[in-house]
Amino acid sequence: MRAIVVERYGVLPSVQDVPSPEVQPGGVVVKVEATGLCRSDWHGWQGHDSDIVLPHVPGHELAGTIAAVGEGVDGWAVGDRVTSPFICACGSCEQCAAGDQQVCPNQLQPGFNYWGSFAEYVALPFAAVNLVRLPDELDFDTAAGLGCRFATSFRAVRQVGRVVAGESVVVFGCGGIGLSAVMIAAALGARVVAVDTNPDALALAAKYGAVEVVTAGPEVVARVREVTGGGANVTMDALGSPQIVQDALRCLRPRGRHLQVGLLPEGFQLELGGLIWQELELLGSHGMAAHHYPEMLSLVASGELKPAELITRTISLSEVPAALEGLNVGTPAGVTVIRPWATEPLGSAPRS
């Protein structure tokens, strides 16, 4: 199969012919019809993830059809249209038994623990707890973006953050996760404020439901507190920055909730005095288990959520190295989707 192969950290990968994955007991092999390009893939390419062993194939947001079914897998057949969370849980530990597959200690992540979906085929383990059946009307490009960024934001906003209509929600960082959060919180009836340095990203946030957009900078806390009438009910760091976390906590009104979704560096310090005297909540959120997808998919089917609108670029495997290199200088607005079976460059081709 054709795949993007990273041979050295920080050095542009290339499209290579490599062996296709073999189906394992309890798992499946998926023909990848679409896969998302995420900043986490850039971090892996740069050598920021200790789980990666070179040579390596990135990619963890995917959708496609089952190409092979392993021994012991029931209820799934070749040709079924599927997606999967980026966290592939084991299905047998204490956390999985409680329904918390997103924090499974035995989890495997394609594109990190093993070769991922920047390829024509990818293996998925523990099929019984990780496969999600796609509705026929949901296209593969849209489905590919659900497995990491959109599903992560849905669980963070809806389940962990407990956002309800009428609350003020401030989203810091308007990349794929942040824009997804803006759309989801707005659909729930919240009054959403988006914060970013990129004017294009802020324009998309306004399009997806933000009632106020704020340019990040030294005055961001004062500005957010002004437009929220004294502070937000919920803030969310969708990027992963110690400064954002500190600013977000200062933007909360008493008994507010902060959602931490962006990954943070080790060893940083925060001033947490307000956490006590204002009774703030500091909440982590990590992905979403497959069994929670039906609610999200029903909202997509009804048109209340429109993740397809987040896709701003569609590319082929041959264009991935340049797209990864572009992340060195910033994250482009919207979501980029890769079609591994395209044999010609797609550029910014319209979705079909």
Side-chain angles (χ1 to χ4, degrees):
M1 68 174 183
R2 295 165 65 245
I4 292 291
V5 180
V6 176
E7 296 185 292
R8 294 173 58 193
Y9 294 125
V11 176
L12 283 184
S14 60
V15 181
Q16 298 182 21
D17 289 320
V18 298
S20 298
E22 295 184 3
V23 68
Q24 299 298 317
V28 298
V29 170
V30 172
K31 178 185 178 184
V32 182
E33 298 291 351
T35 181
L37 176 64
C38 178
R39 179 154 286 276
S40 297
D41 302 311
W42 177 86
H43 280 292
W45 168 50
Q46 291 295 310
H48 300 164
D49 193 302
S50 60
D51 290 328
I52 291 175
V53 177
L54 299 180
H56 184 67
V57 175
H60 60 286
E61 298 179 312
L62 64 106
T65 57
I66 294 178
V69 177
E71 180 183 352
V73 175
D74 297 321
W76 298 97
V78 171
D80 285 348
R81 303 172 76 253
V82 296
T83 186
S84 171
F86 73 94
I87 297 167
C88 289
C90 73
S92 58
C93 67
E94 175 186 347
Q95 286 71 30
C96 288
D100 294 324
Q101 285 89 348
Q102 74 282 350
V103 291
C104 170
N106 306 315
Q107 65 186 251
L108 295 174
Q109 297 184 14
F112 297 98
N113 300 107
Y114 67 97
W115 283 16
S117 56
F118 287 7
E120 292 174 336
Y121 295 94
V122 66
L124 294 178
F126 314 122
V129 290
N130 295 310
L131 289 185
V132 177
R133 194 177 303 277
L134 293 177
D136 290 339
E137 62 272 15
L138 185 64
D139 65 88
F140 289 121
D141 286 3
T142 303
L146 297 178
C148 175
R149 284 167 282 192
F150 203 84
T152 293
S153 292
F154 185 83
R155 182 169 181 276
V157 171
R158 175 74 163 170
Q159 298 168 6
V160 178
R162 312 184 304 279
V163 170
V164 296
E167 290 190 308
S168 57
V169 176
V170 182
V171 178
F172 288 81
C174 294
I177 287 178
L179 290 174
S180 299
V182 167
M183 179 182 288
I184 293 161
L188 293 174
R191 187 175 185 274
V192 183
V193 178
V195 180
D196 204 285
T197 58
N198 184 344
D200 293 335
L202 291 176
L204 286 177
K207 175 183 176 182
Y208 302 146
V211 297
E212 298 278 355
V213 296
V214 176
T215 301
E219 304 301 320
V220 67
V221 174
R223 178 61 179 152
V224 167
R225 293 188 68 84
E226 176 187 354
V227 300
T228 57
N233 300 104
V234 179
T235 56
M236 175 175 172
D237 175 8
L239 179 65
S241 159
Q243 185 60 55
I244 286 178
V245 181
Q246 195 72 75
D247 288 344
L249 290 172
R250 290 170 176 155
C251 287
L252 287 169
R253 64 179 64 225
R255 307 214 77 218
R257 302 161 335 255
H258 173 68
L259 287 164
Q260 189 58 43
V261 177
L263 300 178
L264 292 163
E266 295 182 3
F268 75 93
Q269 295 182 329
L270 290 174
E271 171 52 55
L272 293 177
L275 193 73
I276 301 167
W277 66 267
Q278 288 188 299
E279 291 193 354
L280 304 179
E281 292 185 63
L282 182 56
L283 303 165
S285 190
H286 185 233
M288 186 169 79
H291 67 85
H292 282 309
Y293 271 63
E295 181 186 10
M296 178 180 68
L297 290 175
S298 68
L299 291 172
V300 172
S302 71
E304 294 179 65
L305 295 177
K306 301 177 180 179
E309 293 185 0
L310 299 173
I311 300 171
T312 53
R313 185 170 57 153
T314 308
I315 63 176
S316 64
L317 282 180
S318 65
E319 296 166 284
V320 171
L324 277 171
E325 187 176 37
L327 293 175
N328 288 333
V329 295
T331 303
V335 171
T336 297
V337 168
I338 303 158
R339 293 179 180 172
W341 290 87
T343 56
E344 299 292 336
L346 297 173
S348 296
R351 298 173 62 247
S352 59

